[in-house]
Amino acid sequence: MSRKRPGRVRTKRDNRREPLLLSTIQPQSINVREGEIMTIVCPDCEAWRRLMGETQLKIREHCPRGCTGRAADCEEHPRCPGSNQPVRLDISIEQWGEAMLAADSTATGRRSARQHYKPIPAPAKPVAKMSPLPETVSEALVAYRDHLRRCRSSASGGRCIGRYRCVGGARLAAVYEELQRTKAQRHREARVEALLTRCRAARMWKEHTVATSSKVPLAKRSGTAVEEANNSVRARFTGSVSEFRALEVPLDPLKIRV
């Protein structure tokens, strides 16, 4: 591949304007990096144009319509007033690079933070409309058949057709299969749980019987007078009044005067 020859200035004429100074040009509007083609934004047509020359830089003659510079590519082919505009490098490339970095950091700080809008989650289904999962094999089978009947009669695109099952149908089918597979194990666990419940109830009843059958602890908890009354076995006759009665309890029959 042949090496591209750098552009040269074949004429000493310019547009008779004062040369543009590199120190007065915005750093982002010119490119004078070493090893790259030097370009600049034309002050008249505001488009990127090539800088020709090595010591005396000039903006390449161009058309403001954006053609390639040949008269055959444009009917009128007017010349931009910014053509042959001289450019003078009054500062070094290093100083221009520092100004370029400073301008880039300032522009980065002025940029506002990009906002990321998260999608609003769909509202949860009310508890009153939630269908509980079946707990037995028969309930799962009834729920699965009911879903198939309602889903196949609907006009939705994702309804159950043939061997295809929608999300709800697949979930009920999985529940039915799981209940059918674990039926024996669940029955065994239910029997063991019932046996443990009966054992715990018998143990609790036994402990309660032992705690309430002893008279001495009950008498001590009830007080000294009750303990003495319980220890002294007295015969109680029919119609007798206990010695623990209150004074305000009336003993005489109530007479109502008319």
Side-chain angles (χ1 to χ4, degrees):
M1 183 176 181
S2 60
R3 183 174 61 88
K4 189 174 183 180
R5 184 177 60 183
R8 295 181 298 175
V9 179
R10 302 181 182 272
T11 177
K12 296 182 179 180
R13 294 180 302 177
D14 53 18
N15 59 356
R16 298 181 181 180
R17 294 180 182 178
E18 292 294 331
L20 297 177
L21 302 180
L22 181 60
S23 59
T24 60
I25 302 175
Q26 295 182 358
Q28 62 271 17
S29 299
I30 188 173
N31 179 23
V32 291
R33 294 188 182 92
E34 297 182 359
E36 298 182 6
I37 298 177
M38 292 186 292
T39 54
I40 188 176
V41 177
C42 178
D44 292 273
C45 61
E46 296 182 355
W48 282 95
R49 302 300 177 185
R50 183 174 177 181
L51 284 174
M52 309 298 294
E54 296 181 358
T55 56
Q56 298 179 359
L57 300 178
K58 293 181 182 180
I59 300 178
R60 185 175 183 178
E61 183 178 349
H62 59 277
C63 175
R65 298 191 177 189
C67 61
T68 57
R70 294 177 297 179
D73 298 334
C74 185
E75 296 180 359
E76 299 180 0
H77 192 65
R79 186 174 64 175
C80 179
S83 301
N84 296 328
Q85 170 66 42
V87 179
R88 183 181 301 172
L89 303 180
D90 59 336
I91 59 176
S92 62
I93 304 299
E94 290 76 11
Q95 294 176 350
W96 170 83
E98 294 177 359
M100 184 69 179
L101 293 177
D104 182 68
S105 61
T106 306
T108 304
R110 289 197 305 266
R111 295 193 185 100
S112 59
R114 185 176 181 180
Q115 296 182 358
H116 299 275
Y117 297 95
K118 296 182 179 180
I120 301 176
K125 191 175 182 180
V127 180
K129 295 184 178 180
M130 292 183 180
S131 56
L133 293 177
E135 299 180 358
T136 62
V137 179
S138 58
E139 293 179 359
L141 184 59
V142 171
Y144 178 67
R145 290 177 178 175
D146 185 32
H147 171 78
L148 286 182
R149 182 176 63 258
R150 289 185 288 101
C151 188
R152 289 175 178 175
S153 60
S154 63
S156 60
R159 63 181 185 273
C160 299
I161 300 177
R163 294 186 177 182
Y164 174 77
R165 295 294 178 268
C166 64
V167 178
R171 182 174 63 90
L172 291 176
V175 170
Y176 172 75
E177 183 180 359
E178 181 68 18
L179 292 176
Q180 185 70 20
R181 183 173 57 84
T182 60
K183 181 178 180 180
Q185 180 180 358
R186 287 186 291 104
H187 286 179
R188 183 166 54 254
E189 292 177 356
R191 290 195 300 268
V192 172
E193 185 64 25
L195 181 60
L196 292 177
T197 303
R198 288 197 299 268
C199 292
R200 285 193 293 265
R203 188 184 303 109
M204 291 176 60
W205 181 253
K206 184 178 180 180
E207 293 176 358
H208 176 71
T209 303
V210 172
T212 56
S213 61
S214 179
K215 297 181 180 179
V216 177
L218 275 180
K220 290 183 178 180
R221 287 198 302 269
S222 302
T224 307
V226 177
E227 182 180 359
E228 293 178 356
N230 289 336
N231 294 334
S232 60
V233 182
R234 298 178 182 179
R236 299 293 180 182
F237 301 98
T238 305
S240 61
V241 181
S242 174
E243 63 272 14
F244 298 103
R245 58 181 173 83
L247 298 177
E248 64 274 8
V249 178
L251 302 178
D252 297 335
L254 183 62
K255 297 180 180 181
I256 301 176
R257 297 180 181 180
V258 181

